Amino acid sequence: MFRVASLAAALLGAAALTAMAQKPPARKSGSSPAPPSHDVLPFHATERTLPNGLKVIVVPTGFPNIVSLQIPVQTGSRNEVEPGKSGFAHLFEHVMFRGTKLYPPEKYQEILTKVGARQNAYTTNDFTNYHTTFSKEDLELMLRVEADRFENLSYDPVAFKTETRAVLGEYNKNSANPPVKIEEVQHEHAFTTHTYRHTTMGFIKDIEDMPQQFDYSREFFQRWYRPEYTTVIVAGDVEPDSVLRLVEKYWGGWKRGAYKARIPQEPAPTKAVYAHVPWPSETLPWVTVAFHGPAFSDRVKDYAAMELLFDIYFGETSELHKKLVDREQKVDAIFPDVDATQDPGLDTVWARVKKMEDLASVRDDILRTFVEARDKPVDAQRLADAKANARYSFLRRLDNTETIAATLARFVRYERSYDTLNRLFRIGDTVTPADLQAAAKKYISDAGLVVTTLSHGDLPAAVSQLPALASFAPRAGAGAPLSTVLRKSALPQLNVKLLFTTGSAYDPKGKEGLAALSAEMIAEAGSKERPIDEIRKTLYPVAGSFRAQVDKEMTTFTGSIHRDNWQRFFDVVLPQLTEPGFRDEDFQRVKDQLLNELKEDLRSSNEEELAKERLQTNIFSGTPYGHPVVGTVAGIESITLDDVKKFVQANYTRANLTVGLAGDVPDALSSDLSERLTKLAEGPAPPAPAGIAGHASDGIHVEIIQKETRAAAISLGQPIDVLRSSPDFAALWVARTWLGEHRSSVSHLYQRIRELRGMNYGDYAYIEAFPRGMFQFFPDPNIARRAQIFEIWIRPVVPVNAHMALRIAVSELQKLIDNGLSQEDFERTRGYLMKNVYVMTATQNQQIGYALDSKWYGIGDFATSMREKLGALTLADVNGAVRKHLSAKNLSVVIVTKDAEGLKQKLLSDEFSPIQYDAEKPKELLDEDKVIGALKLQIRPENLKITPVSEVFAR
């Protein structure tokens, strides 16, 4: 929901700076020395540099069947040195999927579908990474195909222009997110010379000019997509020598380049910088406080010291977090972000402030804390706790091959060395309180200060006047057996899930949001014995986490802890559930956070999720599913602390609880957990909600949400009576996957709307609810529902194309109903799902989560049962299920856009929808556009309404 902290902080807690004993080292080909005790990576890795300069790293992870191929290329926005040419590294993240003469896009996508792979790419300041995860049997095929792509990329001006428009669409999508815009403005003002002045997206003027830069794009590719800038990481169920032979075979002929860029170096800052972002729509104000910091280094202590310092002084267990979030409740989010960049970057603290009048005081509290960090040594035990947290945070994430490979890619890219992470841990382990203070004195100065704000409306005058750091003095320190599902594994990190059959469908009328607020009062408001800040402090050294997830009929509390520390974890965490704190100050804080999640994060900042959520509530209007899980504005505002106490007492009972345990679970844990949970009320379980059935539309019903935004977000769908336990689920799953696999370019809608026409960023379809879909590749487990919808998600398009985008989606859906899948489409898609189901359930959290869902639905193991059902399917089954359950005539549609009245008139008049392209398109496509552009949707006036965004989910 918010911008996450830097990669190193996200992956490694506070910089992942402690050694882990007895871990195998990297090894050169042909040798396997004993592991030194100070290495943190628990794998034997084989490294080799080919004669052409390509670096190869092979890592057997010990996980069966799966292989993850990661290809980091040392080019990012840092490498865009020519004026007017920003954004090209990110553009090539898109262009690289345009194929080659040997493997054009359609053949390339056919291969991905055949092998059941999940693939994507991302661009950062310093590098671009291409990653694919698939079954081990397809390794040679994927290495051959990827080698051809990197050596022989082929695209014409038409394809190039299509991708440039997709990039513009991505920029427009991001423009609705305040933190993204803050970062853009922050960097533009902080840097005068270095290419970090622009973000990976690039300057908007350069993005708009990209369609004219075809020749330069070829030059950029020839410069940077060379073996000496590239690493091939192969991790998973692999044999190193065999992998090396395959890489040499397919990648060895790639020619080395000769280009070396002169990256302009940023001069030392000379004065504090302030910048402000005026925001056009309602939002809470933001403030960021940053200093020019060190480059990433695994040999010099500065970077590791700053990571630890930011975590200690600004992380979730910091005194400042307790003050601003828990006690004074001036902010609802504050977090650190230390740039892990090749050259010196910005180290930032972010804060979202509840009231405009508090913006200056929050900024000053952050500055005061920086001065304390600079002028006062940190407590040695506090530093030791930060290192312990870093160690356990790192270990708990190494739970599947893809995460392991992705983590390596992020760090290998600096020097193309497997040992980078080990060196980072080694040097971090040597950091002392004196090192932290020395780093703070070096980088925390008035000259290096960069403050950025964002708000809707005028700021207090004091905000733009930056105080000198010298003006701040350092702060003073201050029963019956439980229903259980067990998934044993060798992993020492344990997952404990407490699943209660309750959720937003159980909210009383007028109290919408009570289930969500109640769960957060358990997970984020402490116990009678310990306030939440004390709990966070206690869990910090062991990197324990306890989080709540609420859906319509499931509330899940998930704990994650290393096997060594489960008893200590239960001592601290379980009283939050059995003896909640229920403090008035926590209640107001959590209630404010819930309101902001609804008003700020959903309504104000996220058109895509807003349209998806509104579609769900429209279809289930008048039923217990008829409001968002987070609630409504009026509902949340009406909730009292007494309401929360009653809801918890009635719903969080032993009779209503199922426990999920995963990992190397000690024998004593289950009985100990059962004993501790006897403090819960016995029951009974509340009755299941009644009357849950979606409303089938008579014709096409449209709601246009009027909102200040650059683009138009569209979701459309209809209720279906198909669940995982239904006979037609597997058949409809195949059809849905072919039509619109989530975040995947292999889908039909993606190809027709995004690839062929370049209208947006992606287009997908669903037969199960997928909240937070824009933030993740796979749905969270424990969102089981007794009623679902079929949905098409059209990611934001230029507003003038909204009418046409809707027509294309309806047209393609009708073609699917009329024509069905071909035998080839059926076989290819079924084959993809047969393998991809393993990728969907690869992590320990997914495995135990899906097991709990299967128990709820009354089916067997998800992966096993789905493969059995898929194996028994026929083409007739799939096409019959499509005709039985789907309609292109009776749909509910939600569109979020600025010119609601103009779009309304176009929809009601059924006027022709023209579409203009930046490049020449095939005559067949233009002819098809004429037919689709004239398609009559026959929307009746009484079936179309406009709703101001301020009224959405208001009551």
Side-chain angles (χ1 to χ4, degrees):
M1 204 160 291
F2 308 124
R3 184 185 182 277
V4 297
S6 69
L7 173 80
L11 285 180
L12 310 183
L17 301 174
T18 327
M20 173 179 154
Q22 302 302 318
K23 295 300 176 186
R27 68 177 176 93
K28 306 299 180 183
S29 180
S31 66
S32 51
S37 62
H38 48 262
D39 279 357
V40 69
L41 290 171
F43 313 105
H44 285 288
T46 300
E47 300 183 77
R48 181 177 296 173
T49 301
L50 302 188
N52 63 0
L54 180 73
K55 185 64 179 283
V56 188
I57 300 175
V58 187
V59 185
T61 63
F63 291 92
N65 303 321
I66 295 293
V67 174
S68 185
L69 174 63
Q70 307 267 335
I71 310 174
V73 182
Q74 291 172 315
T75 180
S77 53
R78 173 179 181 267
N79 306 86
E80 296 158 359
V81 294
E82 294 97 340
K85 303 296 193 294
S86 66
F88 270 81
H90 171 256
L91 173 64
F92 265 92
E93 174 197 324
H94 293 252
V95 174
M96 281 292 287
F97 290 91
R98 279 293 167 180
T100 66
K101 292 180 180 178
L102 186 60
Y103 298 105
E106 60 277 6
K107 188 172 182 180
Y108 184 75
Q109 297 302 333
E110 180 182 341
I111 290 172
L112 292 180
T113 303
K114 179 181 178 182
V115 304
R118 288 308 299 261
Q119 180 188 65
N120 217 295
Y122 60 84
T123 310
T124 73
N125 288 321
D126 301 320
F127 73 108
T128 305
N129 188 42
Y130 300 86
H131 51 95
T132 312
T133 300
F134 47 87
S135 298
K136 67 176 182 180
E137 63 201 72
D138 299 307
L139 174 60
E140 180 170 5
L141 173 62
M142 292 310 302
L143 285 173
R144 181 174 72 243
V145 170
E146 291 298 81
D148 180 65
R149 176 163 71 132
F150 276 75
E151 185 174 0
N152 302 310
L153 177 67
S154 176
Y155 59 93
D156 59 23
V158 173
F160 174 74
K161 288 187 175 183
T162 297
E163 292 306 324
T164 63
R165 294 304 85 186
V167 168
L168 179 59
E170 187 176 352
Y171 181 92
N172 290 338
K173 172 186 74 72
N174 290 343
S175 69
N177 189 313
V180 172
K181 189 65 178 179
I182 293 174
E183 185 179 44
E184 178 183 337
V185 172
Q186 179 200 51
H187 279 245
E188 189 171 354
H189 284 77
F191 294 95
T192 62
T193 307
H194 197 283
T195 42
Y196 289 160
R197 189 165 183 262
H198 62 267
T199 61
T200 55
M201 289 297 299
F203 295 120
I204 182 61
K205 63 180 182 298
D206 297 344
I207 297 173
E208 291 174 338
D209 187 53
M210 275 180 179
Q212 320 312 318
Q213 299 293 333
F214 176 79
D215 290 340
Y216 176 76
S217 75
R218 301 299 302 169
E219 182 178 351
F220 188 92
F221 178 76
Q222 292 300 325
R223 288 176 178 177
W224 295 109
Y225 280 74
R226 293 290 188 176
E228 68 270 22
Y229 293 125
T230 304
T231 305
V232 173
I233 303 169
V234 183
D237 192 356
V238 293
E239 198 284 313
D241 290 337
S242 175
V243 173
L244 288 171
R245 286 194 297 271
L246 290 174
V247 175
E248 278 195 285
K249 176 180 178 181
Y250 294 113
W251 295 74
W254 191 14
K255 301 300 181 186
R256 178 191 290 268
Y259 180 78
K260 294 186 181 298
R262 294 174 61 90
I263 308 298
Q265 295 304 296
E266 184 70 16
T270 58
K271 63 178 181 179
V273 173
Y274 172 72
H276 176 65
V277 182
W279 199 248
S281 58
E282 289 288 340
T283 187
L284 288 180
W286 286 82
V287 60
T288 69
V289 178
F291 291 92
H292 287 268
F296 174 87
S297 176
D298 55 11
R299 292 176 172 84
V300 179
K301 290 184 179 182
D302 286 12
Y303 169 76
M306 290 298 280
E307 274 277 17
L308 283 164
L309 183 142
F310 268 65
D311 179 49
I312 289 168
Y313 284 96
F314 302 102
E316 194 176 52
T317 61
S318 67
E319 289 299 321
L320 186 64
H321 190 283
K322 298 175 194 175
K323 178 180 189 290
L324 295 180
V325 178
D326 300 332
R327 294 196 297 268
E328 297 180 358
Q329 299 185 26
K330 289 182 178 180
V331 307
D332 73 341
I334 182 169
F335 50 90
D337 178 8
V338 175
D339 265 357
T341 44
Q342 191 82 34
D343 296 326
L346 291 178
D347 296 344
T348 307
V349 174
W350 295 71
R352 189 167 74 177
V353 185
K354 294 182 179 181
K355 297 179 181 178
M356 188 83 79
E357 57 264 32
D358 290 330
L359 199 62
S361 69
V362 169
R363 177 204 62 193
D364 290 351
D365 280 336
I366 295 171
L367 289 171
R368 187 175 293 107
T369 304
F370 272 115
V371 172
E372 179 188 353
R374 185 186 65 182
D375 296 345
K376 178 183 174 183
V378 70
D379 178 75
Q381 185 58 52
R382 185 76 171 90
L383 176 57
D385 287 347
K387 292 180 180 182
N389 173 267
R391 177 183 61 180
Y392 286 116
S393 293
F394 178 76
L395 291 174
R396 76 182 182 191
R397 287 174 172 85
L398 299 184
D399 69 345
N400 65 89
T401 284
E402 187 169 21
T403 297
I404 293 164
T407 303
L408 286 174
R410 297 275 186 172
F411 288 89
V412 159
R413 54 92 171 187
Y414 292 104
E415 298 180 358
R416 303 197 305 161
S417 168
Y418 172 83
D419 207 37
T420 295
L421 264 171
N422 287 329
R423 289 193 297 265
L424 178 62
F425 272 74
R426 292 170 202 153
I427 195 167
D429 195 41
T430 69
V431 170
T432 66
D435 294 325
L436 259 64
Q437 191 173 13
K441 289 181 180 294
K442 183 176 181 179
Y443 297 105
I444 297 171
S445 68
D446 289 303
L449 175 63
V450 181
V451 175
T452 315
T453 54
L454 177 147
S455 70
H456 177 67
D458 296 334
L459 292 173
V463 174
S464 62
Q465 304 301 314
L466 298 184
L469 294 179
S471 65
F472 298 102
R475 292 188 300 121
L482 291 172
S483 175
T484 303
V485 175
L486 178 64
R487 288 292 182 270
K488 289 274 285 187
S489 75
L491 292 178
Q493 191 69 22
L494 308 180
N495 282 76
V496 180
K497 285 183 177 287
L498 308 176
L499 190 154
F500 293 94
T501 307
T502 187
S504 63
Y506 294 73
D507 288 341
K509 187 172 179 59
K511 302 285 184 179
E512 292 83 6
L514 180 56
L517 183 50
S518 298
E520 290 304 302
M521 281 297 292
I522 298 298
E524 299 294 335
S527 61
K528 281 184 179 180
E529 180 182 355
R530 293 182 175 93
I532 190 62
D533 61 313
E534 183 180 327
I535 289 173
R536 289 170 180 156
K537 183 177 181 180
T538 305
L539 293 181
Y540 178 71
V542 295
S545 68
F546 185 65
R547 298 286 185 265
Q549 175 183 285
V550 182
D551 193 58
K552 304 293 187 183
E553 299 194 56
M554 284 185 166
T555 295
T556 314
F557 297 98
T558 301
S560 180
I561 190 67
H562 194 275
R563 189 182 191 276
D564 294 348
N565 304 303
W566 68 268
Q567 289 173 312
R568 179 181 178 186
F569 180 73
F570 281 178
D571 288 342
V572 174
V573 163
L574 289 182
Q576 292 180 254
L577 176 63
T578 59
E579 300 175 278
F582 288 145
R583 298 172 182 86
D584 288 330
E585 61 271 22
D586 288 321
F587 172 70
Q588 191 57 54
R589 169 178 56 84
V590 173
K591 185 174 177 178
D592 286 347
Q593 288 175 340
L594 198 66
L595 274 171
N596 289 335
E597 184 177 343
L598 175 59
K599 294 195 292 186
E600 299 293 327
D601 300 324
L602 182 59
R603 290 200 317 196
S604 297
S605 303
N606 198 326
E607 284 83 28
E608 297 180 281
E609 290 292 320
L610 176 61
K612 290 170 61 183
E613 191 61 53
R614 188 64 166 185
L615 178 68
Q616 288 273 349
T617 58
N618 284 353
I619 290 176
F620 291 107
S621 175
T623 78
Y625 282 12
H627 62 273
V629 169
V630 73
T632 65
V633 174
I636 297 170
E637 289 176 341
S638 73
I639 296 170
T640 67
L641 183 53
D642 190 54
D643 292 329
V644 171
K645 293 177 180 178
K646 291 178 180 177
F647 187 91
V648 169
Q649 181 68 21
N651 289 273
Y652 295 168
T653 65
R654 285 174 62 91
N656 204 31
L657 171 64
T658 303
V659 174
L661 301 173
D664 187 12
V665 180
D667 294 337
L669 186 148
S670 294
S671 58
D672 182 85
L673 178 62
S674 181
E675 176 65 26
R676 292 172 187 262
L677 292 178
T678 57
K679 293 183 179 180
L680 293 175
E682 281 297 322
I692 298 174
H695 304 297
S697 297
D698 178 16
I700 296 179
H701 289 233
V702 180
E703 180 180 25
I704 305 175
I705 297 174
Q706 187 168 25
K707 184 178 185 294
E708 188 72 30
T709 179
R710 284 177 59 107
I714 307 171
S715 285
L716 60 145
Q718 62 195 92
I720 54 174
D721 57 353
V722 177
L723 306 175
R724 287 185 197 173
S725 55
S726 304
D728 286 340
F729 181 83
L732 208 57
W733 196 29
V734 169
R736 187 277 312 167
T737 302
W738 174 85
L739 183 64
E741 174 73 334
H742 177 73
R743 300 292 288 272
S744 172
S745 56
V746 303
S747 74
H748 183 73
L749 285 175
Y750 186 100
Q751 292 294 319
R752 302 301 297 175
I753 300 176
R754 185 257 193 256
E755 285 287 283
L756 191 58
R757 294 177 170 91
M759 294 176 69
N760 65 351
Y761 193 52
D763 308 274
Y764 318 113
Y766 310 88
I767 59 171
E768 291 189 301
F770 194 157
R772 301 172 294 279
M774 70 171 292
F775 302 106
Q776 54 200 64
F777 283 101
F778 296 105
D780 292 315
N782 311 134
I783 303 180
R785 299 183 180 183
R786 68 183 69 243
Q788 296 281 5
I789 71 171
F790 166 77
E791 176 185 2
I792 291 176
W793 176 24
I794 302 175
R795 304 201 73 174
V797 298
V798 176
V800 71
N801 286 337
H803 193 185
M804 183 62 170
L806 177 60
R807 278 177 157 147
I808 294 172
V810 171
S811 173
E812 295 297 343
L813 176 58
Q814 188 63 60
K815 289 177 185 176
L816 171 62
I817 295 169
D818 292 343
N819 304 327
L821 272 64
S822 68
Q823 186 68 37
E824 181 183 0
D825 290 336
F826 165 68
E827 295 288 352
R828 182 175 64 250
T829 308
R830 181 175 65 168
Y832 166 83
L833 286 176
M834 290 282 282
K835 295 180 178 180
N836 185 252
V837 70
Y838 289 135
V839 182
M840 288 176 61
T841 56
T843 71
Q844 183 166 273
N845 183 67
Q846 289 167 331
Q847 288 165 4
I848 189 60
Y850 272 93
L852 288 167
D853 290 343
S854 292
K855 182 178 178 67
W856 193 86
Y857 279 118
I859 62 175
D861 174 75
F862 178 77
T864 303
S865 63
M866 287 302 106
R867 284 175 59 87
E868 290 175 354
K869 292 175 182 178
L870 289 166
L873 275 184
T874 66
L875 176 62
D877 294 332
V878 173
N879 291 337
V882 168
R883 290 189 296 270
K884 177 180 178 182
H885 297 288
L886 303 186
S887 168
K889 308 294 185 184
N890 303 313
L891 294 167
S892 179
V893 181
V894 176
I895 306 174
V896 182
T897 193
K898 180 178 180 179
D899 184 13
E901 188 60 41
L903 180 58
K904 173 183 177 181
Q905 296 308 318
K906 289 181 180 179
L907 292 172
L908 291 179
S909 66
D910 250 345
E911 66 181 54
F912 180 76
S913 302
I915 181 170
Q916 294 183 345
Y917 297 107
D918 293 318
E920 185 177 345
K921 294 291 184 180
K923 181 177 182 301
E924 300 79 27
L925 177 64
L926 299 178
D927 291 342
E928 181 182 67
D929 285 347
K930 291 177 183 178
V931 175
I932 295 176
L935 178 68
K936 299 302 181 184
L937 298 178
Q938 298 179 333
I939 301 170
R940 300 190 294 273
E942 63 271 22
N943 290 345
L944 192 154
K945 68 176 181 178
I946 294 175
T947 305
V949 69
S950 60
E951 296 180 12
V952 176
F953 306 141
R955 57 185 58 82

